């Protein structure tokens, strides 16, 4: 029987022998393709990798590693062709892009992006773009471009642009409102249109207008004649009667989105929105919490007042860095003094093991004699004889005395010096220690069973044990602040077993708390003390009666244990103000806001701009204003005397003077500061010409000496009221920063000099370094780049 089994096994091996070489070769060939595919994958040749992985999978379709490699390569190859097609399409090569998307679909039929891009490309080929700049854009991108251009072309409220900004002083006697407005309009080059339903008063007006801006002159006449005017184009105004109905019919409204960037909570953002609704009298204010944006619709002056309020309220919060030094000194002194009386061979420390013999005296009856032992005490005696028993009836044998004395002294000192940073009014918490679990409740079944704990389910909570500090700073100025401090220092003293809790042990936590409000100056050291405790304990143990023997009792018949625990805690706080809201004079001054019913904003006179002379003359009945003093003509260059018969010599043409190169200077030219002191460096641009943007300006400083807290707009590129885009990037770890400021594309350029940005630093270390501008460029309205000479300023930190 056994021989038959061996023969059957041998026959099976002989049948499988021819197949073994083919299987081995097949696996070896698939691994060869796999290795070559990985090599092509490392080179980034995903198409070749797909072919090789496909061949490997064909060799052994059940090998999971081949299938995974093939699918990964198909995805990467398809994505590569999609990216190439998108780039070709952006370059205007639509036909080539179509081929790339088709290849992507062939390689990876599951690629949804390839199908979408192929469809978009087919639509582009069916409806090609006419404009050269639109080539390479998909139909959806063309629609978005048209929408963007339409949004960018939307104009703001009309801004009056008179030929001259300032009208001279004038006096007009007994004139109707139409003559008064037209007189000022003719001088300033402004057309005046009156409401067709306006009925002027019958009585004339006599006015005397001092030299002032055109807008202020029109406002003066409007108050006098009880009219309302608005600009409907840069050189035309509309005048009508001033009442609620006319203002509702003709007063223009503006929609504007304001981004509140410094509000850290939704509550702060909503408070700003509430202030705008209340003070600016705007009913339509929508808050978008996701981007902290305010969408406002109101009159031009209401929106201008809203912009002023947001400019004043949206300030970065002051920030404080607090050095917290926690010092705790614990001293535990333990003294054990004991006399241990033990029998021979006994072990232990402080253990009492005394053999006591009882031999009542005076009991003659009942005694017996044991051979070899003598007289032994009776086992029984009369109860009536108990009153005669005294300490003389007891005896003991004192073995060798073991006298031990131990004095231990355990002192510990804990020192923590963390540093926390908090914003004004925001609580910052510091926790240094452990989380200790403790039971808070349990579920006990109604019916208990043998062998099952009655505490079937126990709930646990965690206690924060260690040093826990909660600080809420309130910054009053750049040099003073207040702090609300909650301090807790705790530790686990021991564990106890609660009766009836099924053997659960609970921690006993000792803690010391202090809550206080203090006011400090920047950099002032405040010490919180008084958290001290002292505990003395004494324990006496021994033989009753013998321990009370003077001198010898505690020495030979007892033990004395004394323990003294002393703990002292001291907290030192050192605040450093590293950021303030930086209120400017414009934030602190009041502005004219109109009356109770009408919000009206007045603006200062704009500087006079050179331009053509004012056209037209004053109408009849109006006094002719004094003509401005003509400018002194330029003296022509001297010419040589002419000889009769000779043609006049051509006038010498003076070569135009080269325009000065723009330059950047840092103000002040040098800085001296102390550690933890804040200082600012202004970036001034000189000799700018038609500037529209400050391209990426790079700032370099020493991070070991100073820290750049913020970069704020200096106002040069926005001094005409135009909106600017301000982008900044501060990297204090490397001591580098960059800033870009640009005006709107359709805004005119700025020429001259001014502060373009302000760098706000705080000194962090002693030494000498520099603040320098390493790179900067100005762009004009034609986006042409103007190179700018840059400079630096030395900084000394003491």
């Amino acid at each position: 029987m056994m021989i038959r089994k061996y023969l059957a096994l041998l026959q099976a091996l002989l049948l499988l022998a021819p197949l073994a070489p083919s299987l081995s070769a097949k696996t070896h060939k698939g691994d060869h393709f796999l290795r070559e595919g990985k090599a092509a994958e490392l080179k980034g040749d995903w198409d070749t990798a797909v072919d090789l992985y496909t061949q490997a999978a064909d060799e052994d379709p059940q090998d999971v590693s081949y299938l995974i490699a093939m699918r990964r390569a198909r995805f990467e190859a398809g994505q590569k062709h999609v990216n190439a097609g998108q780039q070709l399409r952006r370059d205007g090569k639509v036909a080539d892009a179509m081929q790339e998307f088709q290849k992507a679909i062939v390689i990876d039929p599951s690629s949804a992006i390839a199908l979408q891009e192929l469809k978009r490309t087919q639509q582009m080929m069916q409806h090609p773009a006419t404009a050269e700049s639109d080539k390479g854009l998909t139909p959806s991108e063309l629609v978005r471009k048209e929408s963007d251009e339409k949004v960018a072309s939307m104009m703001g409220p009309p801004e009056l642009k008179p030929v001259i900004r300032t009208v001279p002083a004038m006096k007009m006697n007994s004139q109707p409102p139409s003559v008064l407005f037209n007189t000022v309009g003719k001088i300033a080059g402004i057309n005046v249109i009156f409401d067709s339903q306006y009925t002027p008063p019958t009585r004339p007006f006599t006015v005397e207008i001092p030299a002032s801006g055109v807008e202020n002159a029109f406002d003066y006449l409007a108050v006098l004649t009880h009219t309302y005017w608005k600009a409907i184009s840069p050189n035309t105004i509309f005048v009508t009667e001033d009442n609620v109905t006319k203002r509702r019919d003709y007063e223009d409204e503006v929609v504007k989105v304001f981004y509140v960037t410094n509000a850290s909570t939704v509550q702060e953002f909503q408070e700003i929105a509430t202030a705008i609704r209340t003070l600016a009298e705007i009913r339509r204010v929508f808050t978008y919490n996701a981007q902290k944006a305010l969408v406002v619709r109101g009159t031009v002056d209401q929106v201008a007042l809203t912009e002023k309020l947001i400019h004043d309220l949206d300030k970065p919060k002051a920030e404080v860095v607090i050095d917290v030094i926690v010092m705790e000194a614990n001293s535990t002194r333990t003294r054990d003094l004991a006399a241990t009386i033990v029998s021979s061979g006994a072990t232990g420390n402080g253990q009492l093991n005394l053999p006591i013999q009882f031999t009542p005296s005076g009991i003659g009856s009942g005694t017996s004699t044991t051979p070899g032992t003598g007289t032994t005490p009776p086992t029984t005696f009369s109860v009536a004889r108990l009153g005669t028993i005294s300490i003389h009836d007891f005896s003991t044998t004192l073995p060798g005395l073991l006298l031990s004395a131990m004095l231990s002294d355990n002192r510990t000192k804990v020192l923590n010096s963390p540093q926390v940073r908090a914003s004004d009014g925001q609580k910052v918490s510091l926790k240094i220690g452990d989380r200790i679990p403790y039971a808070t409740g349990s579920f006990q079944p109604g019916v208990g069973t043998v062998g099952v704990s009655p505490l079937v389910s126990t709930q646990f909570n965690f206690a924060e044990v260690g040093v826990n500090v909660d600080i809420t700073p309130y910054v009053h100025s750049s040099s003073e602040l207040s702090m609300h401090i909650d301090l807790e220092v705790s530790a686990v003293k021991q564990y106890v077993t609660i009766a009836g809790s099924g053997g659960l042990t609970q921690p006993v936590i000792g803690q010391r708390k202090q809550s206080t409000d203090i006011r400090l100056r920047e950099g002032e050291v405040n010490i919180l003390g008084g958290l001290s405790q002292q505990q003395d304990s004494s324990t006496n143990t021994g033989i009753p009666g013998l321990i009370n023997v003077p001198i010898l009792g505690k020495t030979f018949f007892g033990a004395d244990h004394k323990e003294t625990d002393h703990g002292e805690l001291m907290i030192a706080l050192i605040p450093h103000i590293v950021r303030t809201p930086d209120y400017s004079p414009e934030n602190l001054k009041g502005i004219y806001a109109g009356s109770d019913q009408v919000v009206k904003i007045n603006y200062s006179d704009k500087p006079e701009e050179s331009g053509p002379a004012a056209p037209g003359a004053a109408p009849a009945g109006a006094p002719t204003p004094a003509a401005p003093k003509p400018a002194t003509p330029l003296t022509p260059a001297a010419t040589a005397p002419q000889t009769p018969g000779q043609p006049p010599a051509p006038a010498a043409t003076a070569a135009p003077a080269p325009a000065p190169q723009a330059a950047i200077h840092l103000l002040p030219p040098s800085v001296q500061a102390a550690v933890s002191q804040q200082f600012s460096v202004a970036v001034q641009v000189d000799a700018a010409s038609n500037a529209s943007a400050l391209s990426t300006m790079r700032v370099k400083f020493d991070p070991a000496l100073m820290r750049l807290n913020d970069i704020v707009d200096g106002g040069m590129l926005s001094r005409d009221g135009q909106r600017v885009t301000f982008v900044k990037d501060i990297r204090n770890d490397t001591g580098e920063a960059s800033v870009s400021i640009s005006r709107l594309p359709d805004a005119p350029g700025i020429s001259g000099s001014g502060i373009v940005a302000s760098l706000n630093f705080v000194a962090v270390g002693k030494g000498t370094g520099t603040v320098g501008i390493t790179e900067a460029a100005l762009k004009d309205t034609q986006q042409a780049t103007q190179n700018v000479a840059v400079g630096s300023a030395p900084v000394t930190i003491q």
Side-chain angles (χ1 to χ4, degrees):
M1 192 68 178
M2 186 64 65
I3 296 176
R4 291 181 180 179
K5 290 184 179 181
Y6 283 131
L7 291 176
L9 180 60
L10 180 59
Q11 184 179 2
L13 292 176
L14 292 175
L15 291 175
L16 292 176
L19 299 178
S22 62
L23 293 175
S24 176
K26 183 178 180 180
T27 305
H28 178 72
K29 191 174 183 181
D31 292 342
H32 174 72
F33 288 135
L34 182 65
R35 288 193 298 270
E36 291 185 350
K38 290 182 178 180
E41 180 179 334
L42 293 176
K43 297 178 181 179
D45 189 359
W46 290 103
D47 293 342
T48 304
V50 169
D51 295 337
L52 293 172
Y53 289 150
T54 304
Q55 295 180 38
D58 292 340
E59 292 293 333
D60 188 1
Q62 296 182 354
D63 195 321
V64 179
S65 61
Y66 298 163
L67 297 176
I68 293 176
M70 180 185 66
R71 292 173 182 174
R72 184 182 69 252
R74 285 183 179 276
F75 172 79
E76 294 292 345
Q79 192 64 32
K80 182 179 179 181
H81 285 289
V82 169
N83 296 336
Q86 291 174 342
Q87 183 61 42
L88 290 171
R89 191 176 60 192
R90 285 191 293 267
D91 296 340
K93 302 176 182 179
V94 182
D96 296 339
M98 176 76 74
Q99 296 178 2
E100 291 293 334
F101 295 140
Q102 291 174 348
K103 291 179 182 178
I105 295 175
V106 171
I107 293 176
D108 187 9
S110 64
S111 176
I113 185 65
L115 294 173
Q116 294 174 358
E117 295 298 332
L118 180 63
K119 184 177 179 180
R120 293 170 183 166
T121 308
Q122 290 174 348
Q123 293 175 354
M124 292 176 60
M125 297 182 68
Q126 295 173 1
H127 304 283
T130 57
E132 186 67 26
S133 59
D134 295 341
K135 291 183 178 180
L137 298 180
T138 64
S140 58
E141 290 173 345
L142 284 174
V143 173
R144 283 195 295 268
K145 179 184 177 183
E146 294 174 357
S147 177
D148 294 341
E149 292 176 349
K150 188 175 182 179
V151 171
S153 64
M154 293 181 181
M155 299 179 61
E159 182 181 359
L160 199 62
K161 296 182 179 180
V163 177
I164 61 173
R165 290 290 183 184
T166 304
V167 296
M170 63 182 69
K171 182 178 181 181
M172 292 175 280
N173 298 318
S174 302
Q175 298 297 330
S178 58
V179 174
L180 300 179
F181 276 97
N182 280 302
T183 300
V184 177
K186 290 295 183 181
I187 296 174
I190 300 297
N191 299 321
V192 181
I193 298 176
F194 282 86
D195 184 10
S196 60
Q197 300 178 356
Y198 173 64
T199 302
T202 56
R203 66 180 183 86
F205 297 91
T206 298
V207 297
E208 185 174 355
I209 303 177
S212 60
V214 177
E215 291 87 352
N216 292 335
F218 284 142
D219 289 340
Y220 182 84
L221 296 178
V223 173
L224 182 65
T225 60
H226 195 66
T227 55
Y228 154 71
W229 71 273
K230 71 170 187 176
I232 58 177
S233 71
N235 61 348
T236 305
I237 65 171
F238 173 80
V239 182
T240 187
E241 186 179 358
D242 188 7
N243 55 49
V244 177
T245 303
K246 291 297 183 181
R247 282 190 175 269
R248 185 177 62 246
D249 294 340
Y250 292 108
E251 198 165 26
D252 296 328
E253 290 193 347
V254 179
V255 176
K256 191 172 183 179
V257 180
F258 297 95
Y259 296 95
V260 182
T261 58
N262 293 304
S264 57
T265 61
V266 176
Q267 179 182 356
E268 296 173 357
F269 175 59
Q270 293 294 337
E271 288 177 354
I272 293 178
T274 303
I276 290 172
R277 291 190 185 98
T278 305
L279 297 177
E281 297 287 346
I282 299 181
R283 294 182 293 107
R284 292 182 285 267
V285 178
F286 177 78
T287 57
Y288 183 43
N289 294 332
Q291 294 186 4
K292 291 186 290 187
L294 290 174
V295 184
V296 178
R297 178 176 179 178
T299 65
V300 177
D301 290 324
Q302 287 176 336
V303 174
L305 181 58
T306 299
E307 187 171 7
K308 162 68 176 173
L309 293 175
I310 293 179
H311 180 264
D312 294 344
L313 296 176
D314 187 24
K315 291 289 185 180
K317 284 189 175 183
E319 293 189 45
V320 181
V321 172
I322 306 172
D323 295 324
V324 183
I325 303 176
V326 182
M327 291 171 287
E328 184 179 10
N330 295 330
S331 177
T332 302
R333 296 175 182 269
T334 304
R335 191 193 68 180
D336 290 329
L337 183 61
T340 303
I341 306 175
V342 296
S343 60
S344 178
T347 61
N349 184 17
Q351 303 294 326
L352 184 63
N353 186 8
L354 296 178
I356 304 298
Q357 297 180 1
F358 173 58
T359 307
S361 60
I363 304 177
S365 62
T367 61
S368 62
T369 301
T370 303
T373 60
T375 303
T376 60
T379 57
T380 61
F381 58 91
S382 174
V383 177
R385 305 291 297 173
L386 289 177
T388 62
I389 297 175
S390 64
I391 60 174
H392 301 288
D393 298 322
F394 294 88
S395 63
T396 182
T397 302
L398 294 179
L401 296 179
L402 177 61
L403 183 64
S404 64
M406 180 182 65
L407 179 65
S408 64
D409 186 0
N410 182 20
R411 298 182 179 182
T412 62
K413 184 176 182 181
V414 180
L415 177 62
N416 295 316
S417 58
Q419 187 181 72
V420 295
R421 181 166 181 162
S423 298
D424 182 23
Q426 301 295 321
K427 183 177 74 172
V428 59
S429 299
L430 176 67
K431 299 182 183 299
I432 302 175
D434 303 318
R435 301 185 68 202
I436 304 299
Y438 62 92
T440 57
S442 60
F443 168 76
Q444 184 174 1
V447 179
T449 58
V450 179
V452 178
S453 173
L455 300 179
V456 175
S457 177
T458 303
Q459 292 81 35
F460 289 89
N461 205 342
F462 291 88
E464 302 286 348
V465 176
V467 179
N468 301 323
V469 183
D470 294 334
I471 302 176
T472 306
Y474 301 95
V475 179
H476 306 300
S477 64
S478 60
S479 59
E480 278 194 316
L481 75 157
S482 296
M483 292 188 296
H484 176 77
I485 305 168
D486 292 321
L487 176 66
E488 176 184 342
V489 179
S490 57
V492 177
K493 294 295 184 181
Q494 60 179 336
Y495 285 89
V496 297
T497 302
I498 306 299
S501 62
L504 287 177
T505 59
Q506 296 283 73
V508 177
I509 300 175
Q511 60 180 5
R512 281 165 284 173
K513 290 185 176 180
Q514 185 175 26
S515 180
T516 183
D517 291 276
I518 57 176
R519 181 163 182 153
L520 300 173
R521 294 185 62 83
E522 201 276 339
E524 181 179 352
V525 179
N526 180 77
I527 297 178
L528 301 178
L531 298 179
S532 60
Q533 65 177 4
Q534 183 170 347
Q535 179 180 356
D536 297 331
S537 61
S538 178
T539 304
N540 296 326
T541 59
I543 303 173
L546 297 181
I547 192 175
N548 297 324
V549 176
I551 301 175
L552 299 179
K554 293 182 179 180
T555 302
F556 295 100
F557 302 101
D560 184 13
H561 175 83
K562 290 185 177 181
E563 183 174 347
T564 301
D565 295 334
H566 179 75
E568 184 73 25
L569 179 67
M570 184 176 66
I571 308 296
L573 300 176
I574 309 174
H576 305 283
I577 300 175
V578 296
R579 186 197 297 271
T580 58
D582 191 19
Y583 299 113
S584 63
E586 289 77 12
N587 301 138
L588 303 177
K589 76 174 184 179
I591 61 171
Y592 173 79
S595 62
D596 181 70
Q597 300 296 327
V598 179
V599 175
K600 181 70 174 69
I601 303 296
N602 288 343
Y603 299 92
S604 60
D605 297 336
K606 295 183 178 180
E608 193 70 39
E609 296 179 358
S610 60
T624 303
K629 183 178 179 180
T632 303
L634 296 176
T635 303
T639 57
Q642 281 187 344
T643 303
Q646 292 184 356
T653 303
Q661 182 184 6
I664 286 183
H665 302 287
L666 298 182
L667 299 177
S670 62
V671 179
Q672 289 187 355
V675 176
S676 301
Q677 180 182 352
Q678 299 183 21
F679 62 92
S680 298
V681 178
V683 181
Q684 176 171 329
V685 176
D686 294 335
S689 177
N690 197 26
S692 175
L694 173 66
S695 185
T696 303
M697 180 181 70
R698 303 190 183 277
V699 183
K700 184 69 175 177
F701 57 93
D702 189 352
L705 302 180
M706 64 199 81
R707 177 177 293 273
L708 182 57
N709 288 334
D710 197 6
I711 304 177
V712 298
D713 184 13
M716 175 186 172
L717 295 180
S718 59
R719 63 189 180 191
D720 59 347
Q722 290 287 343
R723 183 179 174 183
V724 298
T725 302
F726 190 89
V727 181
K728 58 186 175 181
D729 182 18
I730 301 175
R731 300 182 180 181
N732 281 307
D733 52 346
T734 60
E736 296 177 345
S738 63
V739 60
S740 299
I741 309 174
S742 59
R743 293 163 60 86
L744 295 177
D746 57 346
I750 294 292
S751 300
S753 303
I755 303 297
V756 69
S758 180
L759 312 177
N760 298 331
F761 291 91
V762 61
V764 296
K766 295 183 179 181
T768 302
T770 59
V771 175
I773 308 298
T774 59
E775 180 184 348
L778 288 174
K779 290 185 177 180
D780 58 16
T781 54
Q782 303 300 325
Q783 297 302 309
T785 302
Q786 306 174 10
N787 292 327
V788 180
V790 297
S792 61
V795 179
T796 302
I797 309 298
Q798 300 176 349

